[in-house]
Amino acid sequence: MPVEKLIVYVISDSIGETARNVVKAAMSQFYGKDPYEIKRFPFVTDQNTLSDILTNAKQQDAIVVYTLVEEKLIEFLEDFAQKENITTIDLMSDMLKKISGRLNKKPKREPGIIRKLDESYFKRIDAIEFAVKYDDGKDPRGVLKADLVLVGISRTSKTPLSMYLANKHIKVANVPLVPEVPIPKELSDVSSKKIIGLTNSPEKLNQVRTERLKALGLSSKANYANFERILDELEYSEKVFKKLGCPVINVANKAIEETAGIILDIMKENGLNIFKDGEI
C-alpha cells in the first residue's frame, strides 16, 4: 500500500543543505505535485539530541538521511535505527571509504569542515573586495578599517601586494605618496604596527616608470619618469616613513611573494593575526 505522505529526516553535523538537495533530487524521480516533507536537523553533535530526533522519526515513520562524520554518532544512529526498524541512508560514509581507499589516507572526520571551507572562501573574497575599494587612496577612511596599510610612491608594488595579501584574508588599504599631496589625516590614527612603507631603487623606478609611459603611449621624457623627480619622491617618502614610525621594505629585485613573506613576518612579530597556508 503506497504511503500517503513520505517524511524524510535530514540529519547533519553541519548545515545539512547539501543532503537536503540530494533528497529533493531523489524525490523528484517519484513525486510530481504529490506531497512529501523534508525535515532538516542541522548541527547535531551529541547523542542526546540525536536520540530525540530519531524517536520522533520513529513516531512519524520517517526515512532518515544523514551526513554525519563522527563515527560514534554514526554507530549510535545505526544501532538505534536497527532496534526501532527505521530506514536510514548514509550519504557520507561510503564516499569517504572509497576516497580513503584511493588516497590511502584517513579522513579528518571533522564536523562542518565544508562550512569552514566556505567561510574561508568568503573571507578571501571580502578581503579582495576591500583591497579594490581602498586601492591607491581612493577612500582614506579605509585605512581605519584595514588590517594593514601599505604606503609608498608610485611603482612600489602597493596594488599587487594588496591583492596578494587579500588572498591570505588580510584587508589591505594602500596609500600613494606624492610630494604635492598631504598624506591622509586618518593615517595618524593608525598604529605604526599596522603600517608598512614600500620603497624602490631610483634605477628600477626609472625603468618601470619609463615602460609604463610607453605602454600608455606617452613620452618617456615625462616628469613621471624623470630621474631627479624620482629622487625627490624617494626623499619625500623617507620623511613620511620616519614620521609614521613604520618599517620599510625595499621591493627592488624582489618578487611579490618574497615581499609578501617579509610583510607577513613583520605582522607576526607585531602580534597581528595572519592567515597560515593550509589553515581553514
Side-chain angles (χ1 to χ4, degrees), residues 172-184:
V172 184
N174 73 73
V175 178
L177 298 180
V178 181
E180 295 78 13
V181 180
I183 63 173

Side-chain angles (χ1 to χ4, degrees), residues 119-129 166-167 169 275:
E119 287 174 0
S120 176
Y121 169 78
F122 287 116
K123 283 180 181 178
R124 184 179 296 112
I125 295 301
D126 191 34
I128 290 171
E129 290 177 347
N167 277 282
H169 302 180
F275 171 83

Side-chain angles (χ1 to χ4, degrees), residues 63 68 95 120 175 186 202 268:
I63 290 177
L68 300 172
M95 187 184 302
S120 176
V175 178
E186 288 84 358
K268 188 175 180 181

